Amino acid sequence: MNVSSRPSPPERPESGHKGTFGRVLIIGGSLGMSGSISLAGAAALRSGAGLVYLGVPRSIVGIVAAFEPSYITVPLPDQESGVLSKSALPNLMDHAEGKDVIALGPGLTQSSETDEIVTAMYQSCSQPMVIDADGLNALARFPEQLSEHNGPRVLTPHPGEFARLTGQSIDSIQNDRQDVATRFAKEHDLTLVLKGPATIVTDGDQVYVNSTGNSGMGTGGTGDVLTGIVSALIGQKMPPFSAARFGVYLHGLAGDLAANELTEPALIASDLLRFLPAAWKQVI
Ligand SMILES: NC(=O)C1=CN([C@@H]2O[C@H](COP(=O)(O)OP(=O)(O)OC[C@H]3O[C@@H](n4cnc5c(N)ncnc54)[C@H](OP(=O)(O)O)[C@@H]3O)[C@@H](O)[C@H]2O)[C@@H](O)CC1
Ligand SMILES: Nc1ncnc2c1ncn2[C@@H]1O[C@H](COP(=O)(O)OP(=O)(O)O)[C@@H](O)[C@H]1O
Ligand SMILES: [Mg+2]
């Protein structure tokens, strides 16, 4: 069923407090890719989250913390390369307890140890999870496990990541975006956000094709911002499909407002953070 109405924002009760508006845990980052997780964390804050925790390798915690004082950083054991170590897993499982949503993947990079973290959390966490970037690359190495999850899952691939997940070529995906996305979501019982111009959001039954966004958003880090936005909305108790639909709309709207002011070529991912408040103003 195609859903074409303008997506609605989450409710925000007058009497709400930071506990009401969701505890969000985002896991990722590595030496050289501290920006991705920082952008995701700041975007979650700019999207209404009550408390945002960023689980990052110990070696980059100072860099991530310096980007934005309003989120909480959780330093985790890392390998010598500045990538999360699998010894972080018990710690991560403890931190996951009591969170309303967990996001996994921005800037995580790829290693056998991060693969173990991703597959274990994907399978066992009962909370909703948003999986992006290297979280998706890890899942792509174990496609038989994609349906083995213990809670709601939202996957946010760009066409390259979706090609890895499905084993199909980017061209064949792009020629048949809506059908491939819908079949995948249905088969694995999850919500899929297939990014790019006219991003598709589907839970296997409902399908939404987004109308906001522009080519200025084809610049590193804009997808990391989307991960933070969708995670924050799920943390505010929106069902996964509604959160993904509204999040994709809001993200593109922030991009359109930013491009209007700054031009498409000059747009960078952190501009989306600055234009999110103006985007919110148009939808609430
Ligand atoms: N500041 C930071 O710390 C940042 C860190 N980042 C982190 O970097 C890590 C790697 O992530 P990544 O997405 O850059 O690499 P990757 O998955 O190999 O994708 C490229 C492949 O996908 C394709 N492709 C993409 N879009 C497409 C489209 N619309 N339509 C069609 N094709 C498309 C593209 O195709 P091609 O270039 O060949 O045309 C290519 O094959 C990850 O951890 C991420 O979080 C980034 O977030 C940036 C900011
Ligand atoms: N031409 C475009 N029109 C609309 N949206 C775009 C366009 N190019 C990229 N985007 C959006 O920008 C984001 C890019 O995400 P992604 O490729 O994961 O970036 P990164 O990993 O660098 O953060 C997606 O939300 C995508 O839909
Ligand atoms: Mg990305």
Coordinates of all heavy atoms in Angstrom, one line a residue, residues 132-133 156 158 161 195 223-224, ligand 3:
D132 N 23.0 1.1 10.3 CA 23.5 1.9 9.2 C 24.9 1.5 8.9 O 25.6 0.9 9.7 CB 23.3 3.4 9.5 CG 23.7 4.3 8.4 OD1 23.4 3.9 7.2 OD2 24.2 5.4 8.6
A133 N 25.4 2.0 7.7 CA 26.8 2.0 7.3 C 27.5 0.6 7.6 O 27.1 -0.4 7.1 CB 27.5 3.2 8.0
T156 N 19.1 1.2 7.1 CA 19.1 2.4 6.3 C 20.2 2.4 5.2 O 21.1 3.3 5.3 CB 19.3 3.7 7.2 OG1 20.5 3.5 7.9 CG2 18.1 3.8 8.2
H158 N 22.3 2.9 1.7 CA 22.3 3.6 0.4 C 22.4 2.4 -0.6 O 22.6 1.2 -0.3 CB 23.4 4.6 0.2 CG 24.9 4.1 0.5 ND1 25.4 3.1 -0.2 CD2 25.8 4.6 1.3 CE1 26.7 2.9 0.2 NE2 26.9 3.8 1.1
E161 N 25.3 -0.1 -0.2 CA 25.1 -1.0 1.0 C 24.0 -2.0 0.7 O 24.2 -3.2 1.1 CB 24.8 -0.2 2.2 CG 26.1 0.6 2.7 CD 25.7 1.9 3.5 OE1 24.6 2.3 3.5 OE2 26.7 2.4 4.2
K195 N 18.0 4.6 0.5 CA 18.3 6.0 0.4 C 18.7 6.4 -1.0 O 18.8 5.5 -1.9 CB 19.5 6.4 1.3 CG 19.1 6.2 2.8 CD 20.2 6.7 3.8 CE 21.4 5.9 3.8 NZ 22.3 6.2 4.9
G223 N 24.1 10.9 5.6 CA 23.4 9.7 6.1 C 23.5 9.4 7.6 O 22.6 8.9 8.2
D224 N 24.7 9.8 8.1 CA 24.9 9.7 9.6 C 23.9 10.6 10.3 O 23.4 10.2 11.4 CB 26.3 10.1 9.9 CG 27.3 9.3 9.1 OD1 27.1 8.1 9.0 OD2 28.3 9.9 8.7
Ligands
MG3 MG 26.1 6.2 5.2

